[in-house]
Amino acid sequence: MNKKIIAAAIAATIAAPVAMAESNVTVYGVIKQAVDFKDMGTADNVQITDNDSRLGFKGSEDLGNGLKGIFQVEMGVKISRNTDGNEFGVPGGDDTITGRNSFVGLAGDFGTVLVGRHDHPMKMSTGSLDYFADTAGDYNRGWSGALVDLRADGTIAYVSPNFSGFSFLGAIVPGENNDADGIADAYSVAGTYKNAGLFATLAYEEGDKDMDSLNGSTTSNICGTAIGACDYSQTRFGLGYGMDAWAVNVVYATYEIDPSGSSSTEPETYIISGKYTMGNNVIKAKYFDTDNDGGAEDIDGFAIGLEHNFSKRTQAQLMYVSSSQDD
C-alpha cells in the first residue's frame, strides 16, 4: 500500500499575558490547519486537517526561598474535522476538545516536580529532533516513521536542573483500574545532553497489560485494537548536531510488545532528518524505515518540506510525504 500526501498548512501561535499580574497567568495557543491531498493507491481524497491546534493557561506563584508553585491547563481544540459521516463542515465526534498536558507542581533549585497529565520522558527526549512536528510528516503519524509517544493521565514526573549540559527526566504512572495496584505500573526515564550544537538522548520505558491510562488506552495506542492488552517496553536513542544554518539528526527506536494470547513483536524504527535555514525559510527532509516482525508490514518512506515564517507567530508550510508498506 502506497500513501502520499501533499500538505499546505498555515499556523499561527499566540501567547499573551492576561492582565492579572498578581497571579502571573499566561494565555497561549496555536492554530494549525492543513489542506491535504492524499493518494492512497486505490483512492484519492482532499481533507482539511487540524494539526494539533491547542489552547492553554499556565502560571506560577513565588513561594519564597527559591521555590515557586506552577500550573498548566492545556486543551486540544480541533478547529476542523474530516470524519466519515460529516456533511459539509458539520463537526463530528466527541473529541472536538481533548486533554493535553495539564498539571500542578513545584519548581526550585532541585528541579521540577509535577502531578497531572503529561508527556512521557520518552516522548520529550526526541521532541526537538522532529522537524515535521504537528504536520503530515510528524513522528507520530503511523505511516511516516512512527514512534510510540505517550501522554498519560495520573502522571508523577520530575525534571532535573541542567548540570553542565546534562539533565534527567523521569515519570511514573499508577494503574487506574482494579488490577493495577502499584504506584509505578508504568514508568519512563530519559537522559539528555546538550552543548555546543550537540544533542544526545537515551530513553527507556515500560508498562504492564493492566494499564488503561496511557494516552487514553494502551489497547489502541500500543497493542493495537486487534490483539487486546499487552506488556510493552521500548528504548530510544537520539543524536543531533546543528551549526549556524543547518542541523541533522538520527533517531533509533525499538519496542517490544507482548500481547495477551499472542506472540511478541519487536519493531525497529530508524529516522534520519535534516534542515537548512535561509532567512525566513527552512528546507527540511527526512527518511524513515520501520522493520516489523510477527507478520506486520515493514514501512519506509521520506518527507520533504518548505517552511516560511512570516513572523515569530505566523507560518506557512508546503510538504510532500511518501510512504510504502509491504502489502
Side-chain angles (χ1 to χ4, degrees):
M1 174 172 57
N2 293 317
K3 300 182 179 181
K4 300 179 181 179
I5 285 187
I6 300 176
I10 296 178
T13 306
I14 301 174
V18 175
M20 292 185 297
E22 294 182 0
S23 58
N24 192 22
V25 177
T26 297
V27 180
Y28 65 95
V30 58
I31 297 176
K32 293 191 175 184
Q33 299 293 288
V35 182
D36 293 339
F37 303 84
K38 296 186 178 182
D39 175 4
M40 308 298 287
T42 57
D44 300 339
N45 59 57
V46 180
Q47 292 186 351
I48 308 300
T49 304
D50 186 281
N51 282 325
D52 296 322
S53 298
R54 68 205 70 159
L55 175 65
F57 306 84
K58 60 183 178 181
S60 63
E61 181 183 13
D62 188 354
L63 303 177
N65 299 317
L67 187 67
K68 65 179 180 180
I70 60 173
F71 80 91
Q72 177 174 298
V73 178
E74 185 175 294
M75 301 164 288
V77 182
K78 289 190 179 298
I79 306 301
S80 59
R81 293 173 51 93
N82 263 335
T83 305
D84 291 342
N86 289 352
E87 304 220 1
F88 299 106
V90 178
D94 297 325
D95 58 348
T96 301
I97 297 179
T98 57
R100 292 178 59 87
N101 289 345
S102 300
F103 54 84
V104 64
L106 292 173
D109 294 338
F110 58 86
T112 301
V113 177
L114 57 89
V115 180
R117 181 179 175 88
H118 204 276
D119 293 341
H120 275 199
M122 173 71 70
K123 178 179 180 179
M124 298 165 65
S125 68
T126 53
S128 64
L129 302 180
D130 189 357
Y131 304 145
F132 290 84
D134 296 340
T135 72
D138 193 298
Y139 280 169
N140 295 309
R141 307 296 167 93
W143 41 267
S144 61
L147 300 182
V148 181
D149 284 341
L150 298 176
R151 177 183 298 127
D153 291 329
T155 295
I156 304 169
Y158 170 73
V159 180
S160 78
N162 187 310
F163 300 104
S164 301
F166 290 95
S167 60
F168 169 80
L169 305 89
I172 56 177
V173 185
E176 293 189 352
N177 58 39
N178 294 330
D179 296 324
D181 57 2
I183 195 171
D185 295 295
Y187 70 89
S188 180
V189 294
T192 65
Y193 176 76
K194 186 176 182 180
N195 188 33
L198 177 67
F199 178 82
T201 183
L202 180 64
Y204 176 82
E205 75 177 26
E206 67 175 55
D208 64 46
K209 63 185 178 182
D210 295 322
M211 295 299 299
D212 66 356
S213 61
L214 301 181
N215 207 22
S217 169
T218 52
T219 300
S220 61
N221 291 281
I222 292 289
C223 308
T225 56
I227 58 178
C230 68
D231 296 329
Y232 85 96
S233 63
Q234 61 172 324
T235 304
R236 186 179 304 175
F237 170 75
L239 181 65
Y241 185 76
M243 179 181 293
D244 298 327
W246 60 270
V248 295
N249 71 69
V250 60
V251 175
Y252 168 78
T254 180
Y255 60 97
E256 180 177 359
I257 301 172
D258 188 9
S260 300
S262 181
S263 59
S264 63
T265 60
E266 296 185 43
E268 292 182 306
T269 295
Y270 307 83
I271 303 175
I272 301 173
S273 304
K275 66 177 182 179
Y276 183 77
T277 302
M278 301 178 296
N280 293 333
N281 300 304
V282 180
I283 300 173
K284 52 192 177 181
K286 80 169 181 176
Y287 169 79
F288 52 89
D289 188 317
T290 297
D291 296 326
N292 287 297
D293 58 11
E297 295 83 11
D298 293 344
I299 304 171
D300 66 273
F302 65 91
I304 55 175
L306 173 64
E307 175 184 311
H308 177 73
N309 296 286
F310 295 98
S311 69
K312 291 183 178 180
R313 298 190 301 180
T314 304
Q315 177 189 94
Q317 297 193 43
L318 178 67
M319 68 188 62
Y320 179 88
V321 184
S322 179
S323 170
S324 179
Q325 291 181 324
D326 285 347
D327 62 351

